Amino acid sequence: MSEHQRSVPRVGMVGGGQLARMTHQAGIALGVDFRVLAGSPGDSAARVCGDVQLGDDRGLADLLAFAKSCDVLTFDHEHVPEPVLREVEAAGAVVRPGRAALQHAQDKLRMRTRATELGLPCPRWRAVSAIEQIEAFGAEADWPLVLKAARGGYDGKGVWVVADPAEAAAVLARADDAGVQLLAEEKVAFRRELAVQVARSPYGQLAVYPVVETVQRDGICHEVIAPAPDLPEDKALRAQELAIDLAHALDVVGLLAVELLETDDGIVINELAMRPHNSGHWTMDGARTSQFEQHLRAVLDLPLGSPRTTAPYTVMANVLGGADPDVYGRYIHVMAKDPEVKVHLYGKEVRPGRKIGHVNVAGDDPADLLARARDAAAYLRGDQG
Amino acid sequence: MSEHQRSVPRVGMVGGGQLARMTHQAGIALGVDFRVLAGSPGDSAARVCGDVQLGDDRGLADLLAFAKSCDVLTFDHEHVPEPVLREVEAAGAVVRPGRAALQHAQDKLRMRTRATELGLPCPRWRAVSAIEQIEAFGAEADWPLVLKAARGGYDGKGVWVVADPAEAAAVLARADDAGVQLLAEEKVAFRRELAVQVARSPYGQLAVYPVVETVQRDGICHEVIAPAPDLPEDKALRAQELAIDLAHALDVVGLLAVELLETDDGIVINELAMRPHNSGHWTMDGARTSQFEQHLRAVLDLPLGSPRTTAPYTVMANVLGGADPDVYGRYIHVMAKDPEVKVHLYGKEVRPGRKIGHVNVAGDDPADLLARARDAAAYLRGDQG
């Protein structure tokens, strides 16, 4: 290795999904050494990255070995168990974000507890472990209620809307069997969902992106409009301040995505993520610094890049797998129809409903951009094939 | 391999330099399989690409084997000898651009001959192999003259400015010894240098980028201003038409870069390249479709992307190696000083004068952008270290 290479840090990303794949793209420009710990050579990032370590991206032994080969460890997902993170940190690895911060993205109960302590707006909520507690909370907050698993869940689900005590009791019984702690939340009458991303460096520098509107269906992010159209400036500022406050208070290093619900009165926190996030994919074609570059800059303690937008609006639509796996055959038509659409594919095997890519369209008119992004994503899925 | 993977083509790029590295970045988003034939694992592209074939990127045996593993072959450089290309094409490989087109980028005499046949503006020129021919041409075109090697050159040089017949005779003698064919050209009194890039697909679709101003020093591209400030629209259109005419006439597939000299009267062709080109690096942060994505789309016969600019001006400055190899240590300061500067490093060992990266800055005022890009590039080189 030449002399200058010694001063170039190696970033290790745990997990080989599309977030690692797109972080690799950003790392190429920065000239840093980027390595991925992936479960399989077919993983989205492992297909393109030059430096792939195969192993269990949630297991202690493989994480410890991977951490030894890297200057900084960061994450494509939030599924590394807390005890594993504790051991990795105890072994001296530089983990960004660290375990203490990450637990607030891993555990909804800790997140609600901490956000409430900080005086940040949340839906009414309560930790519940008996049906009497849920009934009492329902009497206050009104039915239907939302029940959430603090961590994980069962049957592949972690959120349930329950209409009455009987439905709540059924969820509670299954959760108890699965050893899952629940919390109850009021079902917020929201106008729309928003999200805001902030990057924070170990040094404490912050860069906050514009507040975006996210459109979710069946718990999956479908579309993002950046910035959120017609959002009053005071609400936007409040959302950005809230993200900044959280990033500082939780000592986040890297990207923090705060999913929000916009109500008639204001905004409340819905969920957190501490990594590049689906709500920030628009930045690849709509901001001076993409969220992936920003995440790398933050975890490397480099000065952060400008989060400035490069177009009045950018719309992102996720591409989900459809019945026909031949996405490549279809995207030719998408490209022909709209030369301004930016297609980002993840190299993943197509399965119905699976996120296999996204499209971005930037321009002046959010309604026009949304129609074009939807059209491209639907065509790629095969809905119009 | 899953079913959908079968329809995703594999593009093989011959050569592992920075152009292949940046094409890899673009290929990730397109979801195509991208493979590089590199001379060494330390090559710029080989450091980051997930699919690297090591071998001689100018030799027949390795090119034939590489071509067999790819659906389309394209190039990071123009140094594959014509007889090798002929054999690779004869073996049935899809080579884009093809040998017949590429020879015009490899051989200046063929380029001048063809451009003149097409009626496209060139400096006055003549193929010369005896001092009497040079003297006769000098009497017509005036001294000093420019002598160019049709292919290659000697002592690492391929262009010489000669003040008089005695200097010309010295160059001619050395060229003869080296078996190098020369052509003589008038020394054009140009105002500035321009370049224009056009992409052409096998289907014949074209996408042309705005004409840019390039600033060369010692034969190396230092800066690019896109679009070229204060260029009269008729000259800009003429330059774009000229590139389109050349791309069609030469049957170019992929990107064609035409380097031009702007004179008081108009424009003349200086050089050609048939690949992503230094004069197009600005597109990575200043155009809807980067030149690297565009090249991939063209060689894959995909519909071309929009070449539209995303900012009024984008300025690129090359980062050359300086005395101190610690570029990473310095770019922290560049990032801190100007969060809008986009740094692109090539992962290459630092050697004085070697291109090791570039910076892009986009915005409204070309003079301001140029000053900021120069400042960042100079700092990265270590001039202000």
Side-chain angles (χ1 to χ4, degrees), chain A residues 81-366:
Chain A
E82 199 185 331
V84 171
L85 287 174
R86 190 182 296 271
E87 292 282 336
V88 173
E89 286 190 341
V94 178
V95 180
R96 292 175 174 164
R99 182 195 57 79
L102 262 177
Q103 61 178 356
H104 299 95
Q106 295 180 318
D107 186 320
K108 294 182 171 73
L109 188 52
R110 291 199 194 173
M111 183 272 279
R112 285 292 182 223
T113 303
R114 190 80 179 103
T116 304
E117 282 169 11
L118 292 167
L120 299 175
C122 289
R124 277 179 291 178
W125 67 275
R126 190 159 310 160
V128 291
S129 48
I131 187 63
E132 296 74 22
Q133 291 173 313
I134 301 178
E135 284 181 13
F137 182 70
E140 280 174 40
D142 272 348
W143 296 88
L145 293 178
V146 180
L147 296 181
K148 290 183 175 177
R151 289 168 175 265
Y154 65 82
D155 293 351
K157 277 184 74 175
V159 177
W160 303 264
V161 177
V162 288
D164 53 41
E167 284 188 24
V171 170
L172 182 64
R174 300 285 308 273
D176 275 349
D177 288 349
V180 168
Q181 164 74 50
L182 291 183
L183 62 164
E185 294 185 0
E186 69 173 310
K187 189 164 183 302
V188 176
F190 62 85
R191 290 182 183 173
R192 60 176 169 175
E193 297 188 62
L194 303 172
V196 58
Q197 281 192 304
V198 61
R200 183 170 175 274
S201 73
Y203 179 75
Q205 194 200 352
L206 290 155
V208 60
Y209 287 96
V211 181
V212 302
E213 178 176 339
T214 68
V215 181
Q216 318 269 335
R217 272 181 234 130
D218 308 323
I220 292 177
C221 175
H222 274 249
E223 290 146 7
V224 172
I225 308 165
D230 305 318
L231 183 67
E233 194 170 328
D234 60 330
K235 266 189 185 169
L237 280 174
R238 182 76 198 96
Q240 290 183 315
E241 283 167 4
L242 184 158
I244 288 170
D245 289 348
L246 266 175
H248 274 315
L250 304 183
D251 196 22
V252 176
V253 173
L255 275 174
L256 170 70
V258 186
E259 295 184 271
L260 300 160
L261 304 174
E262 183 187 8
T263 65
D264 290 344
D265 308 324
I267 47 172
V268 295
I269 298 169
N270 192 21
E271 308 275 356
L272 301 188
M274 290 185 197
R275 50 172 170 74
H277 189 252
N278 204 156
S279 66
H281 288 356
W282 68 273
T283 59
M284 297 178 87
D285 298 297
R288 194 55 71 203
T289 309
S290 81
Q291 65 164 342
F292 301 101
E293 178 182 341
Q294 200 71 293
H295 187 72
L296 282 174
R297 289 167 78 145
V299 302
L300 286 167
D301 205 6
L302 290 170
L304 300 178
S306 166
R308 192 141 65 120
T309 56
T310 55
Y313 287 96
T314 304
V315 172
M316 190 266 347
N318 274 328
V319 177
L320 303 180
D324 175 3
D326 180 21
V327 177
Y328 184 80
R330 282 193 301 275
Y331 87 66
I332 294 172
H333 302 288
V334 168
M335 288 179 169
K337 184 171 180 189
D338 194 337
E340 297 265 332
V341 165
K342 304 312 298 174
V343 175
H344 299 267
L345 294 184
Y346 305 154
K348 289 159 78 172
E349 214 176 313
V350 174
R351 288 202 294 264
R354 188 187 203 191
K355 287 182 194 174
I356 56 165
H358 69 271
V359 297
N360 285 332
V361 198
D364 296 324
D365 174 2

Side-chain angles (χ1 to χ4, degrees), chain B residues 9 11 24 27 30 40 60 77 81 109 113 141 184 201 284 307 332 334 348 378:
Chain B
V11 183
H24 167 57
L30 293 181
S40 139
L60 180 59
H77 59 68
L109 189 52
T113 304
S201 73
M284 298 179 88
I332 293 172
V334 168
K348 289 160 77 173

Side-chain angles (χ1 to χ4, degrees), chain B residues 99-183:
Chain B
R99 182 195 56 81
L102 262 177
Q103 62 178 356
H104 298 95
Q106 295 180 317
D107 186 320
K108 294 182 172 72
L109 189 52
R110 291 197 195 176
M111 183 272 279
R112 287 289 181 224
T113 304
R114 189 80 179 103
T116 304
E117 281 169 11
L118 292 167
L120 298 175
C122 289
R124 278 180 290 178
W125 66 276
R126 189 159 309 159
V128 290
S129 48
I131 188 63
E132 295 74 22
Q133 291 172 312
I134 301 178
E135 283 181 15
F137 182 69
E140 279 175 41
D142 273 346
W143 297 88
L145 293 178
V146 180
L147 296 181
K148 290 182 176 178
R151 290 169 175 263
Y154 64 82
D155 293 350
K157 277 185 76 174
V159 177
W160 303 265
V161 178
V162 288
D164 53 41
E167 283 186 24
V171 170
L172 183 63
R174 301 285 307 272
D176 275 349
D177 288 349
V180 167
Q181 164 74 50
L182 292 181
L183 61 165

